[in-house]
Amino acid sequence: MPFFQKKTDQSGVDFSRLPRHVAIIMDGNGRWAKKRGLPRTAGHAAGAETFRTIATYCKEIGLDYLTVYAFSTENWKRPAEEVSAIMGLLRKYLLEAIEKMERDRVKMEFFGDLTPIAPELRELIERTREISKHYEGCQVNICLNYGGRDELLRAARAFARDCVEGRADPDSLTEQQLGGYLFSRGVPDPDLVIRPSGELRLSNFLLWQSAYSEFYYTDVLWPDFSKEELLRAIADFQGRSRRYGGV
Ligand code: FPP
């Protein structure tokens, strides 16, 4: 717990029992821009700034994992200009993150199939991964060309391959082993999944991992999402009773 924070402050958050892993669907960028008469790409640029603020804050308060949905397997259906603007924002963010990495020491990971991502961006992703591999503390997972179903399909294929080649046995497969075939291997399941912008769906995000996550929805659009909003979500989470199917 950071020294400057009392156990519970006016936000109502108990900083001594934060969720370990928070996942966020960064939704509402387009509507935020539309409300201001701006192009959708301006909404994504504002959303990328919000991501930066929230990721830094998560590290500051001592969260272990933050996972964000940046680009889904379905987002390729968007106009080419919008897709390339999102990729450009990621590139810009990673270039800046690499520069500040030694100072911030945030570990960065990427969930998703990176093969269709432009080689230059992929190279940046690999560099970011490599540099931050040994950092401890907060890990930020960026879901890029990620889909929950695609992730499960890949796991099924890889497991089937291991069975055919004699490395695995279908009858002894456990949940934990299956988890080892996912992009999220080694990362605990999200305790809290936040979706801003008033949409009440999961949109193919962390399907396997969110089996027992608590959900928090808010009408605030992602570019307007703030540290206070995050604390509100965490305080709400802390008031829930998690029973995992028990009583
Ligand atoms: C959903 O809002 C948002 C996206 C599909 C893109 C999210 C990307 C960023 C925030 C920028 C890059 C990310 C990083 C990590 C630097 P929407 O466009 O569906 O909004 P709408 O529902 O209002 O149209």
Side-chain angles (χ1 to χ4, degrees):
M1 176 177 32
F3 68 93
F4 57 85
Q5 253 143 5
K6 294 199 294 289
K7 197 174 170 210
T8 306
D9 67 5
Q10 72 278 12
S11 66
V13 168
D14 179 348
F15 289 91
S16 68
R17 47 178 205 98
L18 289 174
R20 265 195 96 190
H21 183 177
V22 173
I24 306 182
I25 301 175
M26 304 187 290
D27 196 13
N29 297 345
R31 277 163 285 167
W32 182 92
K34 194 171 174 206
K35 265 173 51 183
R36 286 163 179 74
L38 297 169
R40 293 178 56 81
T41 48
H44 295 312
E49 284 310 313
T50 302
F51 162 72
R52 189 200 307 277
T53 306
I54 295 298
T56 311
Y57 189 56
C58 284
K59 158 111 186 157
E60 215 174 292
I61 62 174
L63 276 194
D64 288 340
Y65 298 92
L66 170 71
T67 300
V68 294
Y69 208 0
F71 194 85
S72 76
T73 42
E74 290 73 34
N75 286 153
W76 297 104
K77 292 181 218 154
R78 296 185 176 214
E81 185 202 325
E82 185 172 338
V83 171
S84 88
I86 294 173
M87 297 298 166
L89 285 164
L90 266 163
R91 177 180 174 278
K92 180 167 168 270
Y93 175 78
L94 292 183
L95 280 169
E96 287 165 11
I98 286 173
E99 248 179 52
K100 296 188 205 129
M101 230 152 201
E102 275 307 310
R103 190 197 70 194
D104 295 345
R105 302 188 75 77
V106 169
K107 184 171 175 174
M108 303 209 23
E109 253 309 329
F110 296 82
F111 295 172
D113 170 24
L114 302 181
T115 44
I117 303 297
E120 196 217 357
L121 183 54
R122 255 165 60 195
E123 201 256 321
L124 270 180
I125 289 172
E126 284 318 319
R127 258 170 64 201
T128 321
R129 257 185 179 150
E130 198 48 41
I131 301 172
S132 65
K133 204 160 63 184
H134 307 293
Y135 292 168
E136 280 171 18
C138 191
Q139 174 170 328
V140 175
N141 307 305
I142 298 183
C143 296
L144 182 57
N145 189 28
Y146 173 89
R149 287 188 173 182
D150 180 64
E151 180 180 40
L152 288 168
L153 199 57
R154 281 164 195 282
R157 285 196 199 117
F159 176 67
R161 217 174 294 123
D162 280 350
C163 288
V164 170
E165 290 168 15
R167 289 187 294 270
D169 163 27
D171 292 323
S172 61
L173 180 67
T174 62
E175 289 188 6
Q176 203 190 3
Q177 274 169 335
L178 185 63
Y181 286 92
L182 304 178
F183 294 121
S184 60
R185 63 190 139 269
V187 174
D189 290 342
D191 302 291
L192 171 63
V193 176
I194 300 174
R195 182 163 195 161
S197 94
E199 307 291 355
L200 307 179
R201 51 179 175 263
L202 196 51
S203 299
N204 208 7
F205 186 46
L206 304 178
L207 295 183
W208 172 271
Q209 300 85 341
S210 64
Y212 281 101
S213 303
E214 295 294 325
F215 287 85
Y216 181 85
Y217 296 98
T218 166
D219 286 339
V220 171
L221 303 172
W222 174 248
D224 291 328
F225 196 87
S226 58
K227 297 173 188 175
E228 291 70 29
E229 200 60 48
L230 177 69
L231 293 181
R232 239 190 303 283
I234 294 176
D236 193 87
F237 164 83
Q238 289 180 333
R240 314 253 183 112
S241 142
R242 300 181 82 188
R243 292 186 294 278
Y244 300 94
V247 285

